[in-house]
Amino acid sequence: MAIWISPVSLYAHTSIESVKIADDLGGVGRDFTFLDGNGKLRRLNDFHGDVIAVFFGFTHCPDVCPGFLTKASVVREHLGVNKNRFKVVFVTVDLERDSRAALTRYLDLFGNWVIGARIPGGELAEVTRDFAITNQLIKDANGRINVSHSIGAFLFDKNSRPAHYISSSRDPEYIADQIDRLLEL
């Protein structure tokens, strides 16, 4: 039996506004291994020196994911000279439909600063648990797939340490300010 969930509840998330420094995150978030759009095995540590926003989403998302990536584009513009020191690692929670090629096609719409990530070897559940992410594939009676998922992003500082959780409701100026602060540390 399929469960129908309204779009509002699909994207509902217990929002922890911005949370400072990893200790306040209660151990949520960590470095992890993923396959990028070229099939190369990567880690967040590969981007040492940059601030990384880790966002869990999927390419068929009708609103939250493209909205977050569009907002991240605006954030980059607010960063000015530091914009190239900010990247998004977009972790798909829909491994069934988000092939490497599909993920790359989708993320290319936003720019090469967005890195597609597929968690290898069935480790997605462990990584989402480590980030306290909720996600669930839901098929309706017509076979259509929806994915419920958490909607914020985790900022990792330039030393690849988890530093802040940013609610997707935050304005771009606020997010850019948090990123600038992390680049200064």
Side-chain angles (χ1 to χ4, degrees):
M1 169 185 242
I3 299 171
W4 184 83
I5 296 181
S6 74
V8 172
S9 62
L10 267 176
Y11 302 105
H13 179 259
T14 304
S15 181
I16 358 173
E17 286 305 317
S18 175
V19 182
K20 284 178 82 173
I21 308 307
D23 291 341
D24 291 341
L25 288 174
V28 172
R30 65 170 172 86
D31 193 8
F32 58 91
T33 302
F34 63 92
L35 292 168
D36 71 8
N38 296 316
K40 182 178 177 184
L41 202 56
R42 308 289 296 268
R43 300 188 65 81
L44 295 179
N45 282 336
D46 294 343
F47 305 101
H48 190 81
D50 295 332
V51 171
I52 303 298
V54 176
F55 182 82
F56 293 83
F58 65 111
T59 64
H60 289 80
C61 182
D63 48 16
V64 172
C65 297
F68 170 79
L69 292 170
T70 300
K71 184 180 284 189
S73 296
V74 174
V75 166
R76 283 188 50 146
E77 294 311 310
H78 283 287
L79 291 171
V81 296
N82 285 328
K83 76 179 187 178
N84 291 326
R85 295 186 62 202
F86 171 63
K87 298 188 177 36
V88 172
V89 172
F90 184 95
V91 180
T92 181
V93 295
D94 186 358
L95 295 172
E96 185 177 320
R97 294 182 296 175
D98 287 349
S99 67
R100 197 172 78 209
L103 195 56
T104 299
R105 272 192 311 277
Y106 177 73
L107 297 176
D108 280 350
L109 298 172
F110 297 96
N112 64 358
W113 54 274
V114 183
I115 296 105
R118 288 178 49 86
I119 307 293
E123 297 171 19
L124 181 60
E126 180 182 336
V127 172
T128 57
R129 188 172 41 254
D130 289 345
F131 278 82
I133 293 298
T134 59
N135 65 293
Q136 180 181 13
L137 250 61
I138 303 160
K139 284 189 180 181
D140 68 15
N142 297 320
R144 289 183 302 237
I145 298 173
N146 282 312
V147 180
S148 69
H149 64 96
S150 299
I151 60 173
F154 294 85
L155 292 182
F156 279 68
D157 69 16
K158 64 184 180 183
N159 295 309
S160 306
R161 295 179 304 222
H164 295 283
Y165 176 85
I166 299 291
S167 168
S168 63
S169 65
R170 285 297 195 167
D171 61 70
E173 295 84 7
Y174 175 85
I175 298 169
D177 183 56
Q178 297 302 308
I179 292 167
D180 278 333
R181 289 173 192 229
L182 292 174
L183 287 169
E184 291 171 5
L185 294 178

